[in-house]
């Protein structure tokens, strides 16, 4: 019985890790596994890459999410890479079936307050036997001109301590970005994060971004 309860708690906690840019999810792709009511998570990431002139450039990201009321996740994103203060993120958990490996659907808004990167998304997530979690969705940028793209991602848990992640997200320049990484769980509520962002270097004037961070989830 104790082991069963631990597995339930662990399965909820592992979904509470924010993306680099705020909402709970994979690396850059939001997922449909929102944090629970009255649960909070906080993450910090330190990023290192080279600019156009080959000089090292460091960035610091922080994000905070709260299961503010039933089916809603509210969060903020800030960091040294922003010139506009902080952004607000919102996610609404639409549905989840009652299967052993449930299918979930969520919709959200990213970077509320941004002058150019406000986006909306719809995403579905599914757990499979053997530790594999799959995610698929669409994102649309709403400012300047409308641009929509697909998103695809996977997370594989080799055991209760380590998971491997990959996701693909679209850009406004119609390129797709491939990201990969791993999470190491110190305990079910705390994980270390090591990510490689834009492995294929499809973003204009930017090299692959290497990030190192920490994520913490707790109930209040």
């Amino acid at each position: 019985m104790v082991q069963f309860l631990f597995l339930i708690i662990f399965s909820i906690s592992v979904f509470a890790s924010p993306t680099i840019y705020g909402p709970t999810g994979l690396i850059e792709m939001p997922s449909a596994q929102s944090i629970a009511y009255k649960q909070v998570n906080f993450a910090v990431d330190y990023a290192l890459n080279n600019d156009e002139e080959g000089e090292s450039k460091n960035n610091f990201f922080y994000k905070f999410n709260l299961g503010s009321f039933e089916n809603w996740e509210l969060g903020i994103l800030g960091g040294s890479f922003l010139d506009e203060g902080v952004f607000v993120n919102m996610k609404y958990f639409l549905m989840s079936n009652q299967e052993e490996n449930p299918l979930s659907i969520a919709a959200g808004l990213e970077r509320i307050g941004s002058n150019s990167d406000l986006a909306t998304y719809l995403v579905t997530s599914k757990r499979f036997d053997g530790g594999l979690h799959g995610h698929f969705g669409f994102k649309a940028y709403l400012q300047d001109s409308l641009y929509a793209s697909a998103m695809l991602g996977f997370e594989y848990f080799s055991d209760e301590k380590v998971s491997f992640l990959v996701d693909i997200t679209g850009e406004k320049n119609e390129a797709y970005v491939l990201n990969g990484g791993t999470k190491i769980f110190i305990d079910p509520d705390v994980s270390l994060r090591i990510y490689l962002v834009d492995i294929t270097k499809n973003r204009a004037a930017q090299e692959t971004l290497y990030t190192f961070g920490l994520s913490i989830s707790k109930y209040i």
Side-chain angles (χ1 to χ4, degrees):
M1 182 66 178
V2 174
Q3 290 179 335
F4 177 72
L5 290 174
F6 174 80
L7 289 174
I8 293 177
I9 295 171
F10 179 77
S11 66
I12 294 172
S13 298
V14 296
F15 293 129
S17 179
T19 63
I20 290 177
Y21 299 114
T24 48
L26 300 177
I27 301 173
E28 289 191 315
M29 177 185 176
S31 74
Q33 280 93 6
S34 300
I35 60 175
Y37 175 57
K38 290 188 177 181
Q39 187 183 29
V40 297
N41 65 39
F42 176 75
V44 292
D45 291 290
Y46 176 78
L48 173 65
N49 72 339
N50 295 324
D51 60 20
E52 295 180 81
E53 299 177 353
E55 296 182 0
S56 295
K57 183 179 180 181
N58 303 330
N59 283 316
F60 174 76
F61 304 74
Y62 68 86
K63 38 265 172 175
F64 174 84
N65 292 313
L66 168 67
S68 56
F69 45 96
E70 189 173 2
N71 294 338
W72 280 96
E73 173 186 305
L74 300 178
I76 60 171
L77 165 69
S80 59
F81 68 103
L82 290 177
D83 297 321
E84 303 167 270
V86 298
F87 296 153
V88 175
N89 297 309
M90 301 176 62
K91 183 194 290 189
Y92 182 66
F93 188 71
L94 293 170
M95 62 152 281
S96 178
N97 60 31
Q98 301 302 312
E99 297 178 0
E100 180 181 357
N101 295 315
L103 174 72
S104 305
I105 300 176
L109 283 170
E110 277 188 316
R111 303 196 191 193
I112 301 171
S114 170
N115 292 329
S116 60
D117 292 322
L118 175 65
T120 184
Y121 62 86
L122 178 69
V123 63
T124 181
S125 298
K126 170 72 174 177
R127 278 185 278 176
F128 300 95
D129 293 332
L132 179 65
H133 301 174
H135 310 271
F136 178 76
F138 295 93
K139 179 183 287 188
Y141 291 93
L142 304 177
Q143 293 162 305
D144 299 328
S145 59
L146 180 65
Y147 174 71
S149 63
M151 301 183 293
L152 177 66
F154 297 94
E155 184 169 11
Y156 172 70
F157 291 84
S158 60
D159 55 39
E160 70 273 13
K161 293 293 185 181
V162 179
S163 74
F164 300 94
L165 306 88
V166 61
D167 64 28
I168 300 173
T169 59
E171 295 289 294
K172 288 187 286 185
N173 62 2
E174 300 186 2
Y176 276 85
V177 173
L178 173 65
N179 309 308
T182 186
K183 289 191 295 189
I184 302 170
F185 295 90
I186 299 174
D187 68 36
D189 295 323
V190 182
S191 63
L192 300 176
R193 304 140 56 93
I194 304 172
Y195 297 154
L196 278 70
V197 179
D198 192 12
I199 297 171
T200 51
K201 303 179 182 179
N202 284 346
R203 285 198 174 111
Q206 181 172 307
E207 296 291 323
T208 299
L209 190 71
Y210 302 88
T211 73
F212 308 88
L214 178 71
S215 173
I216 301 173
S217 299
K218 292 293 182 182
Y219 281 91
I220 57 175

